[in-house]
């Protein structure tokens, strides 16, 4: 999966999380609960999107049954580290963009507007991360 695709998926998850929080606030009069890994108890909403992203980013691999525990650990690390860095990079990039706008004191753009703008920028081939 290309880095720009991972960033787009991260933006989608962050955008959706804002809706989960608004829904939780409406449903519980401001008492935001986290149940089953989903904001506001909406089981499956976030888990599905996040699980899908993880399944797409992380490769499947096999470890030889003859491997020692150390060799197996090295194989898992070698397979998991690049996609993990890709995910961390995507969420870090989006966070840095949001933080920059927030820290500059801009009030002319909401976080959701900025996420939409970033998604449009990521969708253009010349503007990808």
């Amino acid at each position: 999966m290309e880095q720009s695709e991972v960033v787009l998926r991260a933006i989608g998850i962050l955008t959706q999380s804002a809706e989960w929080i608004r829904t939780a606030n409406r449903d519980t009069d401001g008492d935001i609960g986290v149940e089953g890994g989903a904001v506001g108890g909406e089981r499956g909403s976030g888990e599905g999107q996040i699980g899908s992203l993880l399944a797409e980013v992380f490769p499947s691999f096999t470890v030889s049954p003859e491997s020692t525990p150390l060799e197996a650990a090295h194989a898992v690390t070698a397979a998991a580290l690049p996609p993990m860095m890709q995910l961390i990079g995507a969420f870090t990039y989006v966070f840095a963009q949001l933080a920059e706008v927030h820290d500059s004191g801009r009030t002319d753009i909401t976080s959701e507007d900025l996420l939409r703008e970033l998604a449009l920028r990521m969708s253009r081939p010349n503007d990808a991360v």
Side-chain angles (χ1 to χ4, degrees):
M1 183 178 260
E2 295 293 321
Q3 185 65 22
S4 59
E5 293 172 297
V6 177
V7 171
L8 283 169
R9 296 290 297 278
I11 290 169
I13 289 168
L14 293 172
T15 301
Q16 185 62 46
S17 71
E19 181 58 33
W20 296 327
I21 290 170
R22 277 194 299 279
T23 299
N25 283 338
R26 280 193 306 270
D27 293 346
T28 60
D29 297 323
D31 183 25
I32 298 175
V34 177
E35 301 171 15
V39 176
E42 289 185 34
R43 234 175 205 287
S45 299
E47 293 168 355
Q49 284 188 27
I50 294 168
S52 175
L53 175 61
L54 292 174
E56 289 179 38
V57 171
F58 281 90
S60 60
F61 60 93
T62 56
V63 176
S64 171
E66 293 84 36
S67 297
T68 66
L70 184 59
E71 291 169 337
H74 284 293
V76 170
T77 301
L81 190 58
M84 197 176 309
M85 296 303 293
Q86 191 176 34
L87 283 170
I88 292 169
F91 279 97
T92 301
Y93 172 76
V94 175
F95 174 80
Q97 296 296 307
L98 289 166
E100 184 179 319
V101 169
H102 176 271
D103 292 350
S104 72
R106 286 184 57 188
T107 58
D108 61 318
I109 188 168
T110 66
S111 59
E112 288 182 68
D113 289 339
L114 179 60
L115 289 171
R116 272 192 291 278
E117 182 181 304
L118 285 172
L120 288 171
R121 197 178 333 154
M122 290 290 107
S123 297
R124 293 189 295 256
N126 295 338
D127 292 345
V129 176

